[in-house]
Structures are given as structure tokens and as C-alpha cells.
Amino acid sequence: AKSIGGGTWRFFAADMRPRASQTAQLESDLRGALSRQEFLLHYQPQIDLRSNRVVGAEALLRWQHPQHGLLAPDAFLGLAEETGLIVPINEWVLNEACRQGAAWRAEGLGDLRIAVNLSPIQFRREGVETLVREALRTSGMRPTSLELELTEGILLGYDKQIVTQMQSLRALGVTLSVDDFGTGYSSLSYIRSFPLHRLKIDRSFVQDLGSDPSALAIVRTIIDLGHILHLQVLAEGVEEESQLALLRSEGCDEVQGYYFSQPIPSEAFAVWLTQHGL
Ligand code: C2E
Ligand code: CA
Ligand code: CA
Ligand code: CA
């Protein structure tokens, strides 16, 4: 159920109608989901390989749909972006993640860095800096504990406006990372022009680490590139011990993946954290 833009369903053949009306239904569900408080965040730990401690958590959006159950972002993010609903939804995500981060700190769970995914649409809007500042202010979250994950698409070329936007976010004290690094087409020469803290190696490379020599070469290259540019490097999608060992020996700074934990609800995450005390 994707890319059914404004009114296009009318031109579909009869046998396509159920699909289109399903999308229309999902869209109308999506419009009411915020006010019905159907969104929630799951958290996945991020582990520092030098200290072997949990240093952060990525906040990942979920939709508790009244009929379809718990939905992952793939099921509705496309629609949210097309309809522009992604803006208020992600505003909620930002506020909720900051609230949770500040609450965990108050509960003595340590000074976790919380990472929030920003959609390109949202990033390009003028108000993003105000939005982040307000979320920090109302939650009491420490700015240095908030990380914003940007997709490589934002960094397609050197754009003065994008750099200014990033600098104003950096001025708030938050850190910026590039998500899914290696899958897009960001020009390597531009990467150094951006005020970044971290590269996140896409999980497709991590998954092929043991089987595909070129995946190892790519991972090694990203780690070296990151370090030359004074960036931290985090590998996503670590599922196996062998992948972890390779990443460790290659000098990767941080890891995240099912090997440690799937993304889980906030209460479960707090329990996991105290139990593992990594
Ligand atoms: P992402 O930012 O690349 O997030 C990582 C995805 O990989 C998550 O999927 C996570 O559950 C999954 N993952 C983590 N570890 C492993 C692993 O070891 N193996 C495998 N196979 N998968 C792993 P999820 O939660 O379904 O999110 C999908 C995408 O939706 C995210 O990809 C992100 O691009 C987007 N997304 C999630 N939350 C938000 C949000 O609040 N705002 C926006 N704009 N996008 C979001
Ligand atoms: Ca991410
Ligand atoms: Ca990613
Ligand atoms: Ca992704």
C-alpha cells in the first residue's frame, strides 16, 4: 500500500480498487492516530566496543493500530511522508524521545544518548531548530544526549542551506549522525563539509561480513574514512558473534543489532539495561 497520491485511485482499474481503498482507509486511520495516542517508541541499545557499555538507544517508531496490531514504520512511513503527516508525527517522536531520555536519567539509569530519526522532509523545513530547542527545553533533556540521525540523501551535495541548518542544530549542543551510510550516493568529498559526529554503517554490509569479502572491504573503508574525518563509526544490524568480532578487530567504535537486543518498549528497555548493566 504505497504511493497512492491525491485522487489517483480514480483512474485505477476495478480490480485495483480494494487496494486503493485500503490505502485510503489507512490514511484516514493515520490522520487520527496521533490524537488517539496510538504511536509509541521502541528502543534499541547502542554499545561502545571499547568500554563494552550501553552508551545510547535508538528510538524507533511503532503504531499500535486498533485492527492491524503493532505496525513497523515500513507499513506507514511512505504514506506519512506523502501526506505530510510525517511532520507532526516526527514532532511527537522528538518530544517523546526527549521526555523518555530525561526520565531515564532522573531514574538513575545513566546518561544515555537517545538517537531520533529525522525525515528529510522535516529536516529541510525551517522550523526544525526551534522544534528541537523546544523539545529539549520542555523535557529537560541534556542537548549533548540527543542525537539526530539524518539519511544520506540529505547530504547529496554541498548545499549552503543544509550546512546552515546543521550548524544551528549543532549550536544547540545536539549531535548529528548519517544513517544507512554507504547505501546512498553522498559524495565522499562533501562529507567533510558537514558538522557530523557519527557514521552509521548500513546493516546490509554488516550482514554480508562473513560471506562476502567486498563487504568486509567496504566496512573497513567506512571505518577508516570516518576516523580520518574524526567521526565515530557505528555498525548497525549486528546479529552474530562473528560479525561483532570482525567489527571489533576493524576498530569500529559502536554497534547495534539483534545480537544485543531487538528494539523493545521503554519499560522493557529499562529492565534490560539494569539486567545487562553492560
Ligand atoms: P533505520 O533507522 O535504519 O533503523 C534500523 C532498523 O533496522 C529498524 O527497523 C530496526 O528494527 C532494524 N534492526 C535493528 N537491528 C537489526 C538487526 O540486527 N537485524 C535486522 N534485520 N534488523 C535490525 P524499523 O524499526 O522497522 O525501522 C525501519 C526504518 O523506519 C528505520 O530504519 C528508519 O529509517 C525509519 N524510522 C523508524 N522510526 C522513525 C521515526 O521516528 N521517524 C522517521 N522519520 N523514520 C523512522
Ligand atoms: Ca536510524
Ligand atoms: Ca539505519
Ligand atoms: Ca534504514
Side-chain angles (χ1 to χ4, degrees):
K2 251 199 109 186
S3 66
I4 310 291
T8 17
W9 60 270
R10 268 180 268 125
F11 307 109
F12 283 3
D15 61 332
M16 293 285 289
R17 287 236 171 101
R19 213 178 129 82
S21 72
Q22 260 175 30
T23 306
Q25 182 58 51
L26 198 65
E27 180 175 333
S28 102
D29 292 350
L30 197 59
R31 288 188 188 281
L34 261 179
S35 60
R36 289 192 301 268
Q37 301 184 299
E38 289 168 0
F39 291 111
L40 65 155
L41 296 179
H42 279 186
Y43 295 87
Q44 187 178 38
Q46 300 178 325
I47 290 97
D48 180 278
L49 286 181
R50 246 165 298 277
S51 65
N52 289 317
R53 297 182 70 89
V54 180
V55 287
E58 178 173 5
L60 293 155
L61 181 63
R62 299 290 181 265
W63 178 13
Q64 188 65 59
H65 190 282
Q67 281 88 42
H68 307 309
L70 192 66
L71 300 182
D74 290 352
F76 61 90
L77 219 55
L79 200 57
E81 278 171 356
E82 283 161 35
T83 53
L85 286 164
I86 187 64
V87 174
I89 292 172
N90 232 109
E91 198 170 321
W92 176 85
V93 171
L94 193 59
N95 280 292
E96 173 58 17
C98 287
R99 188 202 62 73
Q100 186 61 261
W104 278 335
R105 189 175 146 77
E107 288 164 27
L109 280 178
D111 195 13
L112 282 182
R113 181 180 79 217
I114 309 285
V116 172
N117 293 282
L118 276 195
S119 79
I121 297 172
Q122 192 183 31
F123 182 78
R124 290 201 190 88
R125 286 165 63 99
E126 298 225 325
V128 70
E129 188 238 347
T130 312
L131 202 70
V132 173
R133 193 179 338 107
E134 280 304 297
L136 291 168
R137 196 181 58 79
T138 48
S139 63
M141 172 86 158
R142 300 201 327 175
T144 49
S145 300
L146 179 64
E147 181 150 293
L148 302 173
E149 298 194 356
L150 313 172
T151 58
E152 232 181 325
I154 291 171
L155 313 175
L156 277 185
Y158 183 85
D159 179 333
K160 190 80 182 61
Q161 208 182 332
I162 297 290
V163 176
T164 307
Q165 185 89 290
M166 290 171 90
Q167 281 165 344
S168 69
L169 288 168
R170 280 295 310 279
L172 295 174
V174 306
T175 56
L176 304 173
S177 65
V178 187
D179 207 354
D180 304 342
F181 190 76
T183 57
Y185 302 93
S186 65
S187 161
L188 293 183
S189 63
Y190 288 131
I191 283 289
R192 62 185 175 149
S193 316
F194 299 108
L196 297 164
H197 265 76
R198 202 179 323 278
L199 301 179
K200 295 189 75 178
I201 304 177
D202 190 70
R203 70 163 185 265
S204 57
F205 303 118
V206 175
Q207 249 138 35
D208 295 342
L209 259 184
S211 55
D212 179 359
S214 68
L216 178 58
I218 291 168
V219 165
R220 186 175 286 159
T221 303
I222 296 176
I223 293 171
D224 288 348
L225 172 76
H227 289 166
I228 287 166
L229 298 176
H230 303 292
L231 303 172
Q232 295 271 305
V233 181
L234 181 150
E236 299 188 287
V238 176
E239 294 182 357
E240 291 161 24
E241 176 99 58
S242 59
Q243 296 163 342
L244 179 63
L246 272 171
L247 289 162
R248 205 185 273 284
S249 69
E250 292 301 324
C252 190
D253 302 292
E254 295 181 14
V255 284
Q256 175 182 349
Y258 293 171
Y259 179 74
F260 300 96
S261 171
Q262 297 210 353
I264 49 178
S266 57
E267 309 79 41
F269 184 84
V271 171
W272 185 91
L273 203 59
T274 34
Q275 279 171 354
H276 289 73
L278 284 165

